[in-house]
Amino acid sequence: MKILNFGSLNIDYVYSVEHFVRAGETISSDSLNLFCGGKGLNQSVAFSKAGADTYHAGSIGKEGAMLTDMLKSAGVRTDFVTVRDDISCGHAIIQVNSHGENCILLYGGANHTISNDMVDGVLAGFGAGDMMMLQNEINNLPYIVEQAKKKGIIIALNPSPFNDKIKELDLSLIDWIILNETEGQEITGKEKADDIIAALNSSYPEIKIVLTLGKHGALYAYKNERASHGIFNVPVVDTTAAGDTFTGYFFAEIMGGSSPAKALKIASAASAVAVSRKGAAPSIPTKDEVEALLAKFGEA
Ligand code: RIB
């Protein structure tokens, strides 16, 4: 069983600021760091560090060698990453404030050059029983979903960042959805966690749902099955990629045969380690580091 993550690869320009810049305001940053990022790349790194056999598919510009190097060093297969010479890499301008919160401005670049031919070529290497992870930072999602479904690939969607492109997707083709409350509200029109889950359950009865609730933890729901886990309280340095870390660790556990309850626990521990460090991909912990945190909290 292989994991195919068809997703974005970004160079993250991370600026440390006292507060986020406001409309009409000019501020100085305390520091600038370049990190490997993109929700796709981050989730691939998390999948692989969690022990899954992970393949990343996507597009970068010529200046993106640091991105494929990062994937390779985390054990991710990069055979399906295309290098283009006609467009630059996707990038993100990220402000991180003194509370470790972030705000992110994206430029899609090469992430938005995914053609039908490329999709067909990538999917030729995968089949029934494999799993495909998607986020919303690349183009052509509807075609990718339709073709993967025809091949019997298990499809997991993280509809992040949410925009109208998600509304073009036929969510009845998706097996798993992992989303936060804001995304849940956009999709269902409901505000409370229970109402979001009830609405998704009723519109898409076959979809398995993971709803992340920030400092209130995360919930799993499928038909009448439920599981939940709280967060592990650690000092927050930078929340960038905490959600991506959670996603990769959660699905690596599920595809490895763990119960949703155990997968939520491991994923919560992994994202706690990630928020205690700077950067996106570099903040994603190894499995040993996740186990050390679990032991510290008496949950090993
Ligand atoms: O989820 C964090 C990621 O969002 C960053 O690495 C940035 O590149 C954006 O894609």
Side-chain angles (χ1 to χ4, degrees):
M1 189 266 309
K2 295 177 285 192
I3 306 286
L4 166 63
N5 187 9
F6 218 134
S8 58
L9 305 103
N10 289 335
I11 297 173
D12 288 352
Y13 297 85
V14 182
Y15 298 85
S16 299
V17 293
E18 182 58 33
H19 65 266
F20 299 144
V21 66
R22 291 180 278 252
E25 187 185 28
T26 302
I27 60 172
S28 289
S29 58
D30 299 327
S31 68
L32 165 63
N33 288 289
L34 250 68
F35 292 117
C36 295
K39 294 185 196 309
L41 178 147
N42 298 336
Q43 291 179 19
S44 282
V45 169
F47 267 115
S48 187
K49 287 192 169 179
D53 184 15
T54 311
Y55 292 70
H56 191 96
S59 280
I60 57 174
K62 281 184 298 191
E63 77 282 30
M66 67 186 273
L67 302 173
T68 42
D69 287 348
M70 159 62 85
L71 287 171
K72 284 177 193 156
S73 70
V76 178
R77 296 282 297 268
T78 57
D79 319 43
F80 302 114
V81 177
T82 303
V83 183
R84 300 188 59 114
D85 55 15
D86 57 341
I87 189 161
S88 56
C89 274
H91 72 251
I93 305 288
I94 304 180
Q95 297 176 54
V96 177
N97 71 12
S98 52
H99 305 293
E101 299 162 324
N102 65 53
C103 61
I104 301 180
L105 173 65
L106 288 175
Y107 166 70
N111 293 315
H112 289 177
T113 62
I114 310 298
S115 66
N116 289 4
D117 282 351
M118 178 181 176
V119 174
D120 295 343
V122 170
L123 293 182
F126 299 87
D130 293 331
M131 184 192 147
M132 182 178 70
M133 186 78 229
L134 295 171
Q135 313 78 29
N136 189 27
E137 290 185 346
I138 59 169
N139 67 308
N140 222 354
L141 288 180
Y143 185 76
I144 298 171
V145 168
E146 281 159 26
Q147 299 309 309
K149 192 70 186 175
K150 280 184 195 161
K151 295 178 70 90
I153 295 170
I154 300 161
I155 304 171
L157 172 69
N158 174 213
S160 180
F162 186 89
N163 60 29
D164 284 348
K165 283 200 295 170
I166 294 297
K167 295 182 184 158
E168 293 165 19
L169 276 177
D170 180 357
L171 294 184
S172 68
L173 301 180
I174 305 291
D175 299 284
W176 285 86
I177 191 163
I178 181 164
L179 71 180
N180 63 27
E181 282 172 295
T182 309
E183 292 147 4
Q185 191 178 342
E186 292 279 1
I187 292 173
T188 64
K190 307 290 182 190
E191 283 184 14
K192 292 185 186 148
D194 288 348
D195 295 339
I196 291 169
I197 285 172
L200 284 170
N201 246 333
S202 143
S203 303
Y204 310 103
E206 295 308 322
I207 209 166
K208 295 185 171 83
I209 304 159
V210 182
L211 185 63
T212 59
L213 306 168
K215 62 180 190 301
H216 300 296
L219 300 171
Y220 159 81
Y222 176 59
K223 299 188 188 287
N224 292 324
E225 287 174 31
R226 295 288 183 275
S228 63
H229 203 285
I231 62 161
F232 292 91
N233 249 317
V234 295
V236 176
V237 173
D238 179 356
T239 55
T240 312
D244 300 328
T245 304
F246 186 99
T247 297
Y249 263 87
F250 179 84
F251 285 113
E253 283 294 320
I254 290 290
M255 297 313 281
S258 293
S259 67
K262 182 175 178 201
L264 287 175
K265 179 174 89 171
I266 304 285
S268 302
S271 62
V273 179
V275 300
S276 69
R277 300 169 173 173
K278 278 189 176 180
S283 72
I284 298 169
T286 62
K287 211 157 180 189
D288 284 349
E289 291 169 322
V290 175
E291 277 159 15
L293 183 122
L294 284 167
K296 192 171 153 194
F297 280 81
E299 289 209 35

